[in-house]
């Protein structure tokens, strides 16, 4: 009937319209990619992504911690607080000194009960902290608290460093597996697009089917490139976690 043939013609027109739109879209994508590659070449940059090296293996925790700047800084802070506590405790002990006195020519023995005398060129002195109102003891307690805080900060830095390494390795391993899967999918979609083109030339499929298969192959290829970019970022994070690139 006329209505039936009209519906057939409308379906053919719609299919042809979709095919033209898809062809135009694919052409625009190809032109945009070529323009980006041309712009990179004009700036002297290689449009191809560099080869991502494999994740380093055989890393010992002691070597990683010896390279991490945050762990080294926390360890240095612990050493400084320990030296400060040692100095504060030393202030609680008596001090003795020998003075060379050339003008008066005598030795003064002070702070030692029952000792007193004179000689020619040397002077002996002693200092005992007796009346400090607890100031030295308070300094010792404060230094001890600062040392404990520094030790806690160093332990936290150690745990954070080891956690960063574990997370970075897991992230890089996951991206490697994802990239392998996407590469296989891209190979299949590219082969399917080529097969659709062969079938189209033999008149067995429509042009829209060929374009859709080619667009899917381009999408899979873009997913592979995005995964490679993420893999490069994961490699950088792994190098930083291992103590390099700071």
């Amino acid at each position: 009937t006329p209505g039936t043939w009209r519906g057939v013609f409308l379906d053919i027109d719609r299919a042809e319209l979709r095919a033209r739109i898809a062809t135009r879209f694919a052409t625009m994508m190809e032109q945009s990619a070529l323009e980006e590659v041309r712009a990179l070449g004009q700036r002297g940059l290689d449009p191809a992504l560099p080869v991502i090296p494999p994740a380093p293996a055989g890393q010992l925790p002691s070597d990683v911690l010896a390279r991490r700047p945050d762990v080294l800084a926390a360890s240095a802070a612990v050493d400084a607080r320990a030296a400060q506590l040692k100095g504060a405790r030393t202030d609680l002990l008596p001090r003795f000194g020998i003075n060379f006195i050339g003008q008066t020519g005598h030795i003064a023995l002070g702070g030692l009960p029952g000792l007193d005398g004179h000689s020619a060129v040397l002077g002996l002195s002693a200092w005992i902290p007796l009346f400090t109102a607890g100031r030295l003891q308070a300094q010792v307690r404060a230094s001890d608290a600062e040392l404990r805080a520094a030790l806690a900060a160093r332990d936290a830095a150690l745990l954070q460093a080891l956690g960063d390494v574990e997370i970075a390795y897991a992230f890089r391993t996951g991206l490697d597996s994802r990239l392998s899967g996407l590469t296989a999918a891209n190979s299949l979609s590219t082969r399917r697009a080529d097969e659709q083109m062969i079938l189209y030339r033999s008149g067995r499929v429509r042009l829209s089917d060929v374009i859709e298969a080619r667009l899917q192959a381009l999408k899979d290829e873009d997913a592979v490139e995005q995964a490679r970019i993420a893999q490069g970022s994961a490699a950088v994070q792994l190098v930083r976690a291992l103590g390099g690139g700071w």
Side-chain angles (χ1 to χ4, degrees):
T1 61
T4 303
W5 287 106
R6 183 179 302 173
V8 172
F9 289 143
L10 289 176
D11 291 339
I12 294 175
D13 293 339
R14 291 174 182 174
E16 184 179 358
L17 180 61
R18 287 196 297 267
R20 290 180 180 179
I21 293 174
T23 303
R24 181 59 179 170
F25 180 71
T27 304
M28 292 175 60
M29 290 181 61
E30 184 177 0
Q31 291 178 354
S32 178
L34 291 175
E35 291 177 357
E36 292 180 0
V37 171
R38 191 180 299 109
L40 291 175
Q42 291 176 355
R43 290 186 293 175
L45 300 176
D46 187 3
L49 291 175
V51 178
I52 307 299
Q59 299 291 324
L60 298 177
S62 58
D63 297 336
V64 174
L65 296 177
R67 293 194 304 264
R68 291 269 302 203
D70 51 349
V71 176
L72 295 177
S75 299
V78 170
D79 295 337
R81 298 305 181 188
Q84 181 179 358
L85 177 60
K86 183 178 180 181
R89 289 177 176 175
T90 303
D91 291 339
L92 296 175
L93 303 176
R95 298 180 181 178
F96 300 91
I98 298 177
N99 303 321
F100 291 88
I101 305 175
Q103 295 181 354
T104 57
H106 69 277
I107 293 179
L109 301 177
L112 300 179
L115 296 178
D116 195 5
H118 297 278
S119 181
V121 294
L122 297 177
L124 177 64
S125 63
W127 180 84
I128 301 176
L130 295 178
F131 305 103
T132 60
R135 177 178 57 85
L136 299 180
Q137 290 79 0
Q139 290 180 356
V140 170
R141 290 192 297 270
S143 300
D144 183 70
E146 292 177 354
L147 177 59
R148 292 177 182 274
L151 288 172
R154 186 192 63 180
D155 294 341
L158 292 175
L159 295 176
Q160 181 67 35
L162 296 177
D164 291 343
V165 172
E166 183 177 0
I167 293 174
Y169 264 117
F171 187 48
R172 173 61 193 275
T173 302
L175 285 175
D176 291 344
S177 301
R178 183 171 183 269
L179 181 59
S180 299
L182 290 175
T183 303
N186 185 28
S187 300
L188 292 176
S189 60
T190 302
R191 186 174 63 183
R192 181 176 180 274
D194 296 337
E195 293 174 352
Q196 290 291 321
M197 177 59 69
I198 296 174
L199 294 175
Y200 170 74
R201 289 174 179 174
S202 62
R204 300 178 60 181
V205 296
R206 297 176 299 179
L207 179 60
S208 59
D209 297 332
V210 177
I211 294 175
E212 290 177 0
R214 183 61 62 185
L215 288 176
Q216 184 61 43
L218 291 175
K219 290 180 181 180
D220 292 342
E221 184 178 356
D222 181 70
V224 170
E225 296 302 324
Q226 295 296 329
R228 289 186 61 192
I229 294 174
Q231 186 188 44
S233 300
V236 173
Q237 294 297 328
L238 179 58
V239 171
R240 294 188 60 186
L242 293 175
W246 290 73

